[in-house]
Amino acid sequence: MGFRNILWWFGFTVIALLGQTVFPGVDLLVPGLIVSMQEERNRQSIILGIVFLLIQEGSGSLAFGAGLAWYGMAIVLFIAGRWLFEARNIMFMVILGAVLGVWRYLLISMLTALQEYTFLEDVVFWECVHQALTFPLMWSLAAALRPTKPENNAYSV
């Protein structure tokens, strides 16, 4: 990863984390991981996945493993979805966002029950709706702003 690439991902991470203060309970980093996976840069995706996972695990109140299950499912859904859809198709991202919203609801409801936390169904439901709606928007923004190489138009939306 070159210096400009690192700088770009650092900027993305800062903006996504600032966005998460506006939308609490919504993960705005996961669209960046999907953009990285679309670029087929395995080392970059692994590094970003670990960094994003550590950020979310460290800032969350659920027991360790919620972030791992969250990012793991996002990766599995993306890889499985590529068999059915074009990886950079906006409809695929809308479907992926909706499925991730449902997965977030199920994950939080299961983990709060295991930890005997109070499950605020309405609050969690709306956070998951926001996750489903913001995912394709954040993905579109990140994919559109990614610098492209002249010989490789792999980053276009």
Side-chain angles (χ1 to χ4, degrees):
M1 291 191 349
F3 179 73
R4 288 180 56 173
N5 195 36
I6 292 171
L7 191 60
W8 193 93
W9 283 112
F10 178 77
F12 170 84
T13 303
V14 168
I15 290 169
L17 291 175
L18 289 173
Q20 286 181 189
T21 62
V22 176
F23 297 107
V26 176
D27 182 353
L28 296 177
L29 295 170
V30 75
L33 180 62
I34 298 301
V35 167
S36 180
M37 292 175 63
Q38 289 171 334
E39 294 175 359
E40 297 179 2
R41 294 181 173 181
N42 294 334
R43 190 176 74 150
Q44 171 183 285
S45 297
I46 290 168
I47 292 169
L48 287 172
I50 291 170
V51 169
F52 293 169
L53 174 65
L54 291 174
I55 289 171
Q56 297 297 20
E57 283 288 352
S59 64
S61 61
L62 293 174
F64 181 77
L68 190 59
W70 169 249
Y71 281 99
M73 183 60 81
I75 292 167
V76 166
L77 289 171
F78 175 74
I79 292 171
R82 283 191 314 190
W83 290 349
L84 299 171
F85 302 100
E86 167 59 36
R88 292 173 185 85
N89 185 329
I90 187 66
M91 284 310 299
F92 175 39
M93 293 302 118
V94 169
I95 293 168
L96 184 58
V99 174
L100 284 174
V102 171
W103 170 240
R104 185 172 191 83
Y105 186 85
L106 294 172
L107 182 64
I108 292 172
S109 65
M110 288 185 297
L111 292 177
T112 54
L114 288 174
Q115 290 181 242
E116 298 179 0
Y117 281 176
T118 302
F119 180 67
L120 301 173
E121 192 171 339
D122 289 344
V123 172
V124 174
F125 173 78
W126 287 110
E127 286 176 355
C128 295
V129 168
H130 290 144
Q131 179 69 55
L133 295 174
T134 59
F135 177 84
L137 296 173
M138 189 68 174
W139 170 83
S140 296
L141 182 64
L145 294 177
R146 272 304 275 160
T148 60
K149 294 180 181 177
E151 71 277 358
N152 184 3
N153 197 15
Y155 309 126
S156 64
V157 179

